[in-house]
Amino acid sequence: MSSRIAALDLQVVGKPRRRVDARAKVTGQTRFADDLFLPRMLHCKLLRSPHPHARIRRIDARAAVTAPGVKLVLTGVDLPIPYGILPVSQDEHALCLNRVRFVGDPVAAVVAVDEQTACEALDGIRVDYEPLPTIADPEEALTTPQPRIQPYGDGNVHKKVALQFGEVDAAMASADRVFEDIFFYEGSTHLAIEQHAALAAVDPDGKLTLWSSTQTPHYVHRALSRVLGISPAHIRVIATPNGGGFGGKSDPFNHEIVVAKAAMLLGRPVKICLTREEVFYCHRGRHPVLMKLVTGVNGDGRIVAMDLQTLLDGGAYGSYGVASTFYTGALQTVTYEVPRYRFRGCRVFTNKPPCGPKRGHGTPQPRFAQEIQLDKIAVALGRDPAELRKSQLAKPHALTANYMRIGTMGLGECIDRVVAGSGWKNKHGKLRFGHGVGLACSSYLCGAGLPIYWNALPHSGVQLQLDRSGRVAAFCGATEIGQGSDDVLANLVAEVLGIDPFDIRLVSGDTDLGPVDLGSYSSRVTLMMGHAALQAAERARDLIAQAVSASLEVPASRLVFAGRRVFDAEAPARGVSFAEAVQRGEAMHGTLGTTGSYTPPESAAKYKGGGVGPSPAYSYSACVVEVQVQPETGWVEVEKIWIAHDIGRSLNPVLARGQVEGSVYMALGEALMEEMAYRRLPRHLSGVLVHKFPSLLEYKSPTTLEMPEVITYLVENPDEAGPLGAKEVGQGPLLPVMPAVANAVYDAVGVRVDEVPITPEKVLRALGDRESRRCGPKSFPFIVWPEPLKVAPPWEGGDGTAVNEKPRRRKEGVLMSPDVVQPGLAPHPSTPEAGQKTESSESSPEMPEVLR
Amino acid sequence: MMRCGRFHYHAPRTLRDACAMLQDAGSDGMLLAGGTDLVPNMKRRQQTPKVVISLRHVAGLRDAGPDGNRVRLGAMLTLSDLTAKEEVRARHTALFKAAAQVATPHLRNMGTLGGNLCLDTRCNYYDQNYEWRKAINFCMKKAGEICWVAPSSRRCWAISSTDTAPALIALGAEVALATRDGERTLGVADFCRDDGIQYLTRNPDEILTQVLLPIPAPGESSTYWKLRRRGSFDFPVLSVAAWIRRPPEGRVEAARLVLGSVASRPVIAEAAAGLVGTTLSEDVIEAVAEEASRLAKPLDNTDFSLGWRKKAARYLITGALRELRGDDPQTLGPLARRAAELAPVG
Amino acid sequence: MSASGGVTPRAESRTRLSLRVNGEPVEVLFETYKTLLEVLREDLGLTGTKHGCELGECGACTVLVDSRPVLSCLLLAAECEGSHVRTVEGLAQGACLHPIQETFADLGAAQCGYCTPAMLMTACALLEKHPSPSRGDIRQALSGVLCRCTGYLQIFEAVEAAERRIRENSPGGSEGGG
């Protein structure tokens, strides 16, 4: 903890406040993407594949092209350049070129005068498919290398990673007890209530503008430039406020590219809004993960070694999958001390919508595994689960075995708070049969230490502009997805300049008007944009202070910015209004504008794969869940939840609490009822593989009636790495809830459900299994793992590099796509070649015949 | 955005006009009541009427009142109208609880009694968008050949998912059906058929206008328990309507037990006869529940696994009967609290 | 009006309708297949009313028709002849926010803001009908609108705070706003 930032006297920060965008939201004036209507606007609909896996032989769109009201029909050949969020998996096409990979993969687009006409015209497109065998799950993918869903990877294995930190086998052999468990975490989706929508228009000067419900306008900007072959300087992406994101709007999406292309070809605005079913097909949600976790402990339950294997069902495309795979291992060391650690992860392709990042990205699954296993260890050793955890918390201000650098670490206090609040000591193991409490903990990133593509540039930038009226405008590429990023920006600038957050004009999420911010993902905005905002505001304050100091003849160091005034700390009456102060600044310096930016510190993890996991700071959460379980039916009711979150510093407690409660809500859905379920029809009849119920009715999102009482504790333990000590709160509090529910069910009825969702069926099955008293996966498939990269932990003389790694080329220059550094003219000459070099899914495409 | 296909819209003011329009439209026509079933089905192209005849403005269909020893309830009363009626809450508990648990408060403000009785049967191979159904090459209920739930079956196994029908059968209610030429009444049980496609005995030119509900005699009581994953939105995956006549401190003189959402129609459990002459002891309740739950032969076309739904059937029946014996559902555990959920605010 | 079904649906594809929207008389000509949701957003420019499924499965499109919360995605606009439709745009009195808007804004009841109009309209109807709802009443009344952001608790608190505010500001103590 830093006493310096802890002791700051703050005017705005930390006070419960109405968020700056609240008025727009409660009056219905917030303009979401589908709320935009432009003159002469056309509407787009996508024709999607009814086959889970097939070759496209022929597309006959003649009837659609000639239908009244139809303006354009696009197919894959119109957008042949692949793209994808990660440079290593550029495997998507805006419209499938010659192969469809899941039911819902887009094949053609119709643009028409209205949506109904576009929809009707889809029936006029005849596509001949040659169906291919499908892969439904990871076990099938491992044993079925052909036909391949993607041309890269190994058979249908997308990626295998193996890392080892210290001599795990030796440590395991010396452990007093070794616990081996297998867990399964079912996939789930974000289910933002706003369906994805995008609107593209050609500006009067011929440039392209895309409005989209995206969390990552910067990455969409890059993808558009690449696929459309035009300079990014001629493309403007505006992220409209997202009606919920949760990670589901973090990839560049096919529909965004399609409407951009259509607008360019037609010279008219083109809009698309996906149906709920289509949103299920965009997915990028939680990976289903099968896990085998082996942990060696000494006699009192302290971990001496951990060995984790994960098998991820990736769906049909790469998306963030490589990062997701690493994330299933990266943060296991950040919560408790793990002296030696081996992690092996494998992601496979299946004929389902692609998985990607959902709140907690890759980490809730192994967290679920470890927190349940710790509960089992506590039971086996007769220790209190809370005490067992507290006795081996990861050390603050230290490196972990895999070289994650921890700053402040408030987990101990979090545990104390929920233990005290819930009456844990009088409840755990002591309630009557059918009632129980469970505890679990977690940690999470405050922003990924590395960007999606390698570069040495800032991760976030803020620009301020001030004028003689006293008006302050703040510009930033960060994206408001409901989490309150605009409020964080206004909050911090206002704090430094001594004005009210509502005094500030905000311009965010616009690639033309604001400096780059990488986007609203990995809980990075508060920390990274926050630092940039502080820097810009402090620079502005210094310029103004210099001028006021000169005119008031008060040393600048004595000037206070507060209450819309700038005054002498020693004689508060001696001062000027903020507007007057700005005028003096403008008179002295000319037009006032400042910038701030933030680049995370260099990571200590130098090994390959060490790019995933490092963060400037880590947040911590602890949670106690109380349940009632009905033994006759297995019905589980969550009665109350106590959750404590180490937020470093809470910038606006109203919003912070909302993030915690929202995380708990989403976590309860995953814990109890939500699942991305698929169904394969009988093989002898068709074998088609479909999403079981792509609807808001059958995908069970809890209603008001399922939400229990939640007691939230914000633990404020300012971290030097965060702006004014702040850490994240948007994702971390989700993680402990699922395992806490599972542990509570055990406390209530004495059975383990080692998978989510914890449905009544599973509880009943576990109750009925007199032998195992458990419901969960029974085996982990045999996987041929590569030799792990061996990295000695810091306490064994390691330096963060792997001893058996081939020297790596510096990749900055290679992987930074030229379209970002060269403001070239349209069309961009180097883009198609760039597409060929990466792992394109269509290395030798046999193109279908297209009739239009 | 999901949109309805194109259609003609008619808004008759009189029942006579409505009957005439329906007859004229023939197989192209469909009746629109609250819209909460037909409109989503039109958007998913499960139903593609060329002519939609709205009953909203037809005079008389919202009337309610006594009629001899019965109560007449207009078919166009919304479910909220129904639950707001004190006499429904007080005297026809099974109907009240059934209506009060349909979908959501918003949908109950729209959905009608008649509409809920005529609710299309449901199946998660059928309640899907056009594109999804195209991917499985459709099913026999709409545009296809096969029943995906039971591929060797010659019939459709879509599930009756109405909340009010089981309750009304248990209460001994009848429906009135009007045509251009007149009106007929029949028991709600006879109004339903065990076929996922032809799930009603209503003729295509008939309009359901009224529900006729016997006014309960002293000693009569009823209840309705509904099983669903969430306390709102969800259709029943299983429901139990129970009715008994039992003088205070006496023995059961008559009983009816109806299971909903276990077949293409509500299923009457003859096992209820086992309650007659008893004082609803625990043994009797369990024996009846055991026998009645055998009627529940769930298929894999709705929420929850079949095995569990079958187990839950016994639990639900037991609970409903205990409630009629006088037990407080609030004391019967979380699922009972959920299943026996009482009154929403309007 | 003819009841014959022989004409192609295109032939009379538009409907003219008179209704009141947020207290003002409105006449609108629209494609007959449209629901109230589509007409509000596309023909009347009232985009405050949202949509998340268009099938009655999320509640995001809630508006008040004759004071009752209903789902505009399932109500054919043609059915609304003579109705009074209230949307989030009509909630404030001029520049003065409705108490429920104030408390939603102050207490974190709106995060992304997408379900907010539906929550507001539902809560507004609740307070007009039941001036002192319990937490249980609020839960029930709002159970027809899904929110993925908040976990609902701050929404419940905002409704309770609005109820207090309305009660304190009205001498009669029972009349809701709107």
PDB file of all heavy atoms in Angstrom, chain A residues 115-116 120 277 630 633 679 691-692 701 706 761, chain B residues 1 3-4 6 129 132 230-231 305 308 315 332:
ATOM      1  N   GLU A 115     -35.759  -3.369 -44.310  1.00  0.00           N
ATOM      2  CA  GLU A 115     -35.292  -4.648 -43.773  1.00  0.00           C
ATOM      3  C   GLU A 115     -36.194  -5.800 -44.225  1.00  0.00           C
ATOM      4  O   GLU A 115     -35.718  -6.904 -44.509  1.00  0.00           O
ATOM      5  CB  GLU A 115     -35.239  -4.569 -42.246  1.00  0.00           C
ATOM      6  CG  GLU A 115     -34.372  -5.646 -41.635  1.00  0.00           C
ATOM      7  CD  GLU A 115     -34.273  -5.554 -40.117  1.00  0.00           C
ATOM      8  OE1 GLU A 115     -35.210  -5.036 -39.489  1.00  0.00           O
ATOM      9  OE2 GLU A 115     -33.256  -6.021 -39.573  1.00  0.00           O
ATOM     10  N   GLN A 116     -37.483  -5.542 -44.294  1.00  0.00           N
ATOM     11  CA  GLN A 116     -38.416  -6.587 -44.715  1.00  0.00           C
ATOM     12  C   GLN A 116     -38.091  -7.042 -46.136  1.00  0.00           C
ATOM     13  O   GLN A 116     -38.062  -8.243 -46.423  1.00  0.00           O
ATOM     14  CB  GLN A 116     -39.852  -6.029 -44.641  1.00  0.00           C
ATOM     15  CG  GLN A 116     -40.932  -7.025 -44.988  1.00  0.00           C
ATOM     16  CD  GLN A 116     -41.335  -7.875 -43.783  1.00  0.00           C
ATOM     17  OE1 GLN A 116     -40.476  -8.387 -43.073  1.00  0.00           O
ATOM     18  NE2 GLN A 116     -42.624  -8.031 -43.566  1.00  0.00           N
ATOM     19  N   GLU A 120     -36.905 -10.754 -47.252  1.00  0.00           N
ATOM     20  CA  GLU A 120     -37.626 -11.570 -48.233  1.00  0.00           C
ATOM     21  C   GLU A 120     -36.710 -11.981 -49.383  1.00  0.00           C
ATOM     22  O   GLU A 120     -36.840 -13.076 -49.931  1.00  0.00           O
ATOM     23  CB  GLU A 120     -38.847 -10.792 -48.763  1.00  0.00           C
ATOM     24  CG  GLU A 120     -39.954 -10.666 -47.720  1.00  0.00           C
ATOM     25  CD  GLU A 120     -41.001  -9.598 -48.035  1.00  0.00           C
ATOM     26  OE1 GLU A 120     -40.761  -8.730 -48.928  1.00  0.00           O
ATOM     27  OE2 GLU A 120     -42.053  -9.597 -47.379  1.00  0.00           O
ATOM     28  N   GLU A 277     -31.074 -14.412 -32.609  1.00  0.00           N
ATOM     29  CA  GLU A 277     -30.480 -15.676 -33.042  1.00  0.00           C
ATOM     30  C   GLU A 277     -29.093 -15.416 -33.652  1.00  0.00           C
ATOM     31  O   GLU A 277     -28.133 -16.143 -33.375  1.00  0.00           O
ATOM     32  CB  GLU A 277     -31.384 -16.354 -34.073  1.00  0.00           C
ATOM     33  CG  GLU A 277     -30.815 -17.670 -34.586  1.00  0.00           C
ATOM     34  CD  GLU A 277     -31.741 -18.396 -35.549  1.00  0.00           C
ATOM     35  OE1 GLU A 277     -32.777 -17.821 -35.933  1.00  0.00           O
ATOM     36  OE2 GLU A 277     -31.422 -19.529 -35.911  1.00  0.00           O
ATOM     37  N   GLN A 630     -32.857 -28.537  -2.013  1.00  0.00           N
ATOM     38  CA  GLN A 630     -33.940 -29.451  -1.686  1.00  0.00           C
ATOM     39  C   GLN A 630     -33.515 -30.867  -2.073  1.00  0.00           C
ATOM     40  O   GLN A 630     -33.368 -31.166  -3.263  1.00  0.00           O
ATOM     41  CB  GLN A 630     -35.169 -29.045  -2.468  1.00  0.00           C
ATOM     42  CG  GLN A 630     -36.414 -29.709  -1.984  1.00  0.00           C
ATOM     43  CD  GLN A 630     -37.622 -28.824  -2.248  1.00  0.00           C
ATOM     44  OE1 GLN A 630     -37.616 -28.022  -3.178  1.00  0.00           O
ATOM     45  NE2 GLN A 630     -38.639 -28.955  -1.446  1.00  0.00           N
ATOM     46  N   THR A 633     -35.414 -33.031  -4.837  1.00  0.00           N
ATOM     47  CA  THR A 633     -35.399 -32.636  -6.250  1.00  0.00           C
ATOM     48  C   THR A 633     -34.042 -32.104  -6.704  1.00  0.00           C
ATOM     49  O   THR A 633     -33.820 -31.947  -7.901  1.00  0.00           O
ATOM     50  CB  THR A 633     -36.427 -31.513  -6.495  1.00  0.00           C
ATOM     51  OG1 THR A 633     -36.120 -30.434  -5.606  1.00  0.00           O
ATOM     52  CG2 THR A 633     -37.841 -31.996  -6.248  1.00  0.00           C
ATOM     53  N   ARG A 679     -27.036 -29.381 -30.188  1.00  0.00           N
ATOM     54  CA  ARG A 679     -27.756 -30.634 -30.392  1.00  0.00           C
ATOM     55  C   ARG A 679     -27.378 -31.155 -31.769  1.00  0.00           C
ATOM     56  O   ARG A 679     -27.389 -30.416 -32.740  1.00  0.00           O
ATOM     57  CB  ARG A 679     -29.237 -30.313 -30.309  1.00  0.00           C
ATOM     58  CG  ARG A 679     -30.153 -31.385 -30.788  1.00  0.00           C
ATOM     59  CD  ARG A 679     -31.583 -30.952 -30.548  1.00  0.00           C
ATOM     60  NE  ARG A 679     -32.109 -31.591 -29.369  1.00  0.00           N
ATOM     61  CZ  ARG A 679     -33.150 -31.139 -28.666  1.00  0.00           C
ATOM     62  NH1 ARG A 679     -33.713 -30.005 -28.979  1.00  0.00           N
ATOM     63  NH2 ARG A 679     -33.598 -31.810 -27.634  1.00  0.00           N
ATOM     64  N   HIS A 691     -27.274 -25.088 -32.629  1.00  0.00           N
ATOM     65  CA  HIS A 691     -27.461 -24.521 -31.294  1.00  0.00           C
ATOM     66  C   HIS A 691     -28.829 -24.983 -30.817  1.00  0.00           C
ATOM     67  O   HIS A 691     -29.807 -24.917 -31.549  1.00  0.00           O
ATOM     68  CB  HIS A 691     -27.415 -22.993 -31.366  1.00  0.00           C
ATOM     69  CG  HIS A 691     -27.319 -22.343 -30.009  1.00  0.00           C
ATOM     70  ND1 HIS A 691     -28.340 -22.385 -29.095  1.00  0.00           N
ATOM     71  CD2 HIS A 691     -26.324 -21.655 -29.423  1.00  0.00           C
ATOM     72  CE1 HIS A 691     -27.964 -21.742 -27.990  1.00  0.00           C
ATOM     73  NE2 HIS A 691     -26.744 -21.299 -28.165  1.00  0.00           N
ATOM     74  N   LYS A 692     -28.894 -25.443 -29.579  1.00  0.00           N
ATOM     75  CA  LYS A 692     -30.152 -26.047 -29.127  1.00  0.00           C
ATOM     76  C   LYS A 692     -31.278 -25.011 -29.044  1.00  0.00           C
ATOM     77  O   LYS A 692     -32.407 -25.303 -29.397  1.00  0.00           O
ATOM     78  CB  LYS A 692     -29.926 -26.708 -27.770  1.00  0.00           C
ATOM     79  CG  LYS A 692     -30.940 -27.779 -27.435  1.00  0.00           C
ATOM     80  CD  LYS A 692     -30.482 -28.557 -26.207  1.00  0.00           C
ATOM     81  CE  LYS A 692     -31.584 -29.468 -25.702  1.00  0.00           C
ATOM     82  NZ  LYS A 692     -31.195 -30.114 -24.439  1.00  0.00           N
ATOM     83  N   SER A 701     -31.441 -16.566 -18.664  1.00  0.00           N
ATOM     84  CA  SER A 701     -30.823 -15.463 -17.945  1.00  0.00           C
ATOM     85  C   SER A 701     -31.694 -15.144 -16.729  1.00  0.00           C
ATOM     86  O   SER A 701     -32.894 -14.944 -16.867  1.00  0.00           O
ATOM     87  CB  SER A 701     -30.747 -14.247 -18.863  1.00  0.00           C
ATOM     88  OG  SER A 701     -30.141 -13.176 -18.213  1.00  0.00           O
ATOM     89  N   GLU A 706     -34.887 -14.302  -9.434  1.00  0.00           N
ATOM     90  CA  GLU A 706     -33.801 -15.205  -9.069  1.00  0.00           C
ATOM     91  C   GLU A 706     -32.674 -14.498  -8.329  1.00  0.00           C
ATOM     92  O   GLU A 706     -31.758 -15.138  -7.839  1.00  0.00           O
ATOM     93  CB  GLU A 706     -33.203 -15.873 -10.326  1.00  0.00           C
ATOM     94  CG  GLU A 706     -33.990 -17.040 -10.852  1.00  0.00           C
ATOM     95  CD  GLU A 706     -35.298 -16.619 -11.481  1.00  0.00           C
ATOM     96  OE1 GLU A 706     -35.305 -15.720 -12.339  1.00  0.00           O
ATOM     97  OE2 GLU A 706     -36.331 -17.174 -11.103  1.00  0.00           O
ATOM     98  N   GLU A 761     -30.843 -31.381 -11.814  1.00  0.00           N
ATOM     99  CA  GLU A 761     -30.576 -32.741 -12.296  1.00  0.00           C
ATOM    100  C   GLU A 761     -29.245 -33.251 -11.765  1.00  0.00           C
ATOM    101  O   GLU A 761     -29.118 -34.385 -11.311  1.00  0.00           O
ATOM    102  CB  GLU A 761     -30.491 -32.767 -13.829  1.00  0.00           C
ATOM    103  CG  GLU A 761     -31.792 -32.516 -14.557  1.00  0.00           C
ATOM    104  CD  GLU A 761     -31.900 -31.088 -15.088  1.00  0.00           C
ATOM    105  OE1 GLU A 761     -31.495 -30.159 -14.336  1.00  0.00           O
ATOM    106  OE2 GLU A 761     -32.388 -30.898 -16.206  1.00  0.00           O
TER     107      GLU A 761
ATOM    108  N   MET B   1     -34.040  -6.845 -37.020  1.00  0.00           N
ATOM    109  CA  MET B   1     -35.225  -6.990 -36.182  1.00  0.00           C
ATOM    110  C   MET B   1     -36.146  -8.053 -36.765  1.00  0.00           C
ATOM    111  O   MET B   1     -36.333  -8.101 -37.971  1.00  0.00           O
ATOM    112  CB  MET B   1     -35.958  -5.638 -36.115  1.00  0.00           C
ATOM    113  CG  MET B   1     -37.061  -5.612 -35.096  1.00  0.00           C
ATOM    114  SD  MET B   1     -37.927  -4.040 -34.997  1.00  0.00           S
ATOM    115  CE  MET B   1     -36.735  -2.942 -34.285  1.00  0.00           C
ATOM    116  N   ARG B   3     -39.483  -9.524 -37.834  1.00  0.00           N
ATOM    117  CA  ARG B   3     -40.732  -8.872 -38.249  1.00  0.00           C
ATOM    118  C   ARG B   3     -41.741  -9.909 -38.725  1.00  0.00           C
ATOM    119  O   ARG B   3     -41.351 -10.973 -39.216  1.00  0.00           O
ATOM    120  CB  ARG B   3     -40.464  -7.893 -39.402  1.00  0.00           C
ATOM    121  CG  ARG B   3     -39.574  -6.727 -39.004  1.00  0.00           C
ATOM    122  CD  ARG B   3     -39.207  -5.893 -40.232  1.00  0.00           C
ATOM    123  NE  ARG B   3     -38.022  -5.090 -39.965  1.00  0.00           N
ATOM    124  CZ  ARG B   3     -38.057  -3.821 -39.546  1.00  0.00           C
ATOM    125  NH1 ARG B   3     -39.204  -3.220 -39.361  1.00  0.00           N
ATOM    126  NH2 ARG B   3     -36.934  -3.176 -39.303  1.00  0.00           N
ATOM    127  N   CYS B   4     -43.002  -9.554 -38.607  1.00  0.00           N
ATOM    128  CA  CYS B   4     -44.047 -10.417 -39.144  1.00  0.00           C
ATOM    129  C   CYS B   4     -43.986 -10.380 -40.671  1.00  0.00           C
ATOM    130  O   CYS B   4     -43.547  -9.388 -41.260  1.00  0.00           O
ATOM    131  CB  CYS B   4     -45.425  -9.910 -38.724  1.00  0.00           C
ATOM    132  SG  CYS B   4     -45.734 -10.059 -36.965  1.00  0.00           S
ATOM    133  N   ARG B   6     -46.058 -10.336 -44.366  1.00  0.00           N
ATOM    134  CA  ARG B   6     -47.145  -9.423 -44.768  1.00  0.00           C
ATOM    135  C   ARG B   6     -48.487 -10.147 -44.692  1.00  0.00           C
ATOM    136  O   ARG B   6     -48.571 -11.334 -44.964  1.00  0.00           O
ATOM    137  CB  ARG B   6     -46.883  -8.925 -46.183  1.00  0.00           C
ATOM    138  CG  ARG B   6     -45.544  -8.180 -46.303  1.00  0.00           C
ATOM    139  CD  ARG B   6     -45.273  -7.755 -47.739  1.00  0.00           C
ATOM    140  NE  ARG B   6     -43.840  -7.483 -47.959  1.00  0.00           N
ATOM    141  CZ  ARG B   6     -43.301  -6.268 -47.865  1.00  0.00           C
ATOM    142  NH1 ARG B   6     -44.038  -5.229 -47.550  1.00  0.00           N
ATOM    143  NH2 ARG B   6     -42.000  -6.114 -48.072  1.00  0.00           N
ATOM    144  N   ASN B 129     -36.608 -19.884 -35.107  1.00  0.00           N
ATOM    145  CA  ASN B 129     -36.716 -19.065 -36.309  1.00  0.00           C
ATOM    146  C   ASN B 129     -36.760 -19.945 -37.557  1.00  0.00           C
ATOM    147  O   ASN B 129     -36.293 -21.086 -37.554  1.00  0.00           O
ATOM    148  CB  ASN B 129     -35.491 -18.154 -36.444  1.00  0.00           C
ATOM    149  CG  ASN B 129     -35.479 -17.087 -35.374  1.00  0.00           C
ATOM    150  OD1 ASN B 129     -36.427 -16.939 -34.630  1.00  0.00           O
ATOM    151  ND2 ASN B 129     -34.386 -16.348 -35.310  1.00  0.00           N
ATOM    152  N   TRP B 132     -33.371 -21.466 -38.490  1.00  0.00           N
ATOM    153  CA  TRP B 132     -32.975 -22.602 -37.661  1.00  0.00           C
ATOM    154  C   TRP B 132     -33.707 -23.855 -38.107  1.00  0.00           C
ATOM    155  O   TRP B 132     -33.133 -24.926 -38.259  1.00  0.00           O
ATOM    156  CB  TRP B 132     -33.279 -22.305 -36.187  1.00  0.00           C
ATOM    157  CG  TRP B 132     -32.698 -23.285 -35.209  1.00  0.00           C
ATOM    158  CD1 TRP B 132     -31.547 -23.132 -34.505  1.00  0.00           C
ATOM    159  CD2 TRP B 132     -33.245 -24.552 -34.804  1.00  0.00           C
ATOM    160  NE1 TRP B 132     -31.346 -24.232 -33.688  1.00  0.00           N
ATOM    161  CE2 TRP B 132     -32.362 -25.116 -33.857  1.00  0.00           C
ATOM    162  CE3 TRP B 132     -34.391 -25.279 -35.152  1.00  0.00           C
ATOM    163  CZ2 TRP B 132     -32.577 -26.348 -33.243  1.00  0.00           C
ATOM    164  CZ3 TRP B 132     -34.614 -26.518 -34.554  1.00  0.00           C
ATOM    165  CH2 TRP B 132     -33.714 -27.044 -33.609  1.00  0.00           C
ATOM    166  N   ARG B 230     -37.175 -20.505 -14.262  1.00  0.00           N
ATOM    167  CA  ARG B 230     -37.161 -19.153 -13.708  1.00  0.00           C
ATOM    168  C   ARG B 230     -38.561 -18.777 -13.237  1.00  0.00           C
ATOM    169  O   ARG B 230     -39.547 -19.288 -13.752  1.00  0.00           O
ATOM    170  CB  ARG B 230     -36.699 -18.147 -14.765  1.00  0.00           C
ATOM    171  CG  ARG B 230     -35.311 -18.445 -15.310  1.00  0.00           C
ATOM    172  CD  ARG B 230     -34.927 -17.466 -16.406  1.00  0.00           C
ATOM    173  NE  ARG B 230     -35.789 -17.593 -17.578  1.00  0.00           N
ATOM    174  CZ  ARG B 230     -35.685 -16.849 -18.673  1.00  0.00           C
ATOM    175  NH1 ARG B 230     -34.758 -15.903 -18.738  1.00  0.00           N
ATOM    176  NH2 ARG B 230     -36.492 -17.038 -19.701  1.00  0.00           N
ATOM    177  N   GLY B 231     -38.622 -17.859 -12.329  1.00  0.00           N
ATOM    178  CA  GLY B 231     -39.913 -17.465 -11.787  1.00  0.00           C
ATOM    179  C   GLY B 231     -40.722 -16.582 -12.705  1.00  0.00           C
ATOM    180  O   GLY B 231     -41.842 -16.187 -12.388  1.00  0.00           O
ATOM    181  N   SER B 305     -33.952 -32.059 -18.061  1.00  0.00           N
ATOM    182  CA  SER B 305     -33.825 -33.412 -18.604  1.00  0.00           C
ATOM    183  C   SER B 305     -35.091 -34.204 -18.300  1.00  0.00           C
ATOM    184  O   SER B 305     -35.800 -33.941 -17.332  1.00  0.00           O
ATOM    185  CB  SER B 305     -32.610 -34.113 -17.994  1.00  0.00           C
ATOM    186  OG  SER B 305     -32.851 -34.378 -16.629  1.00  0.00           O
ATOM    187  N   TRP B 308     -35.311 -36.051 -14.868  1.00  0.00           N
ATOM    188  CA  TRP B 308     -35.558 -35.173 -13.728  1.00  0.00           C
ATOM    189  C   TRP B 308     -37.002 -34.683 -13.709  1.00  0.00           C
ATOM    190  O   TRP B 308     -37.627 -34.608 -12.649  1.00  0.00           O
ATOM    191  CB  TRP B 308     -34.596 -33.983 -13.762  1.00  0.00           C
ATOM    192  CG  TRP B 308     -34.717 -33.146 -12.529  1.00  0.00           C
ATOM    193  CD1 TRP B 308     -34.142 -33.385 -11.320  1.00  0.00           C
ATOM    194  CD2 TRP B 308     -35.505 -31.957 -12.377  1.00  0.00           C
ATOM    195  NE1 TRP B 308     -34.513 -32.418 -10.415  1.00  0.00           N
ATOM    196  CE2 TRP B 308     -35.340 -31.529 -11.037  1.00  0.00           C
ATOM    197  CE3 TRP B 308     -36.313 -31.208 -13.239  1.00  0.00           C
ATOM    198  CZ2 TRP B 308     -35.957 -30.389 -10.554  1.00  0.00           C
ATOM    199  CZ3 TRP B 308     -36.939 -30.073 -12.752  1.00  0.00           C
ATOM    200  CH2 TRP B 308     -36.755 -29.664 -11.418  1.00  0.00           C
ATOM    201  N   TYR B 315     -43.016 -35.115  -7.093  1.00  0.00           N
ATOM    202  CA  TYR B 315     -42.838 -34.114  -6.046  1.00  0.00           C
ATOM    203  C   TYR B 315     -43.916 -33.028  -6.129  1.00  0.00           C
ATOM    204  O   TYR B 315     -44.489 -32.603  -5.126  1.00  0.00           O
ATOM    205  CB  TYR B 315     -41.446 -33.495  -6.173  1.00  0.00           C
ATOM    206  CG  TYR B 315     -41.241 -32.364  -5.230  1.00  0.00           C
ATOM    207  CD1 TYR B 315     -40.891 -32.611  -3.908  1.00  0.00           C
ATOM    208  CD2 TYR B 315     -41.436 -31.056  -5.639  1.00  0.00           C
ATOM    209  CE1 TYR B 315     -40.740 -31.563  -3.018  1.00  0.00           C
ATOM    210  CE2 TYR B 315     -41.285 -30.007  -4.760  1.00  0.00           C
ATOM    211  CZ  TYR B 315     -40.934 -30.261  -3.455  1.00  0.00           C
ATOM    212  OH  TYR B 315     -40.795 -29.247  -2.580  1.00  0.00           O
ATOM    213  N   LEU B 332     -42.721 -25.957   2.390  1.00  0.00           N
ATOM    214  CA  LEU B 332     -42.377 -27.185   1.678  1.00  0.00           C
ATOM    215  C   LEU B 332     -41.083 -27.066   0.867  1.00  0.00           C
ATOM    216  O   LEU B 332     -40.835 -27.877  -0.007  1.00  0.00           O
ATOM    217  CB  LEU B 332     -43.544 -27.613   0.776  1.00  0.00           C
ATOM    218  CG  LEU B 332     -44.864 -27.901   1.508  1.00  0.00           C
ATOM    219  CD1 LEU B 332     -45.985 -28.206   0.527  1.00  0.00           C
ATOM    220  CD2 LEU B 332     -44.711 -29.055   2.487  1.00  0.00           C
TER     221      LEU B 332
END
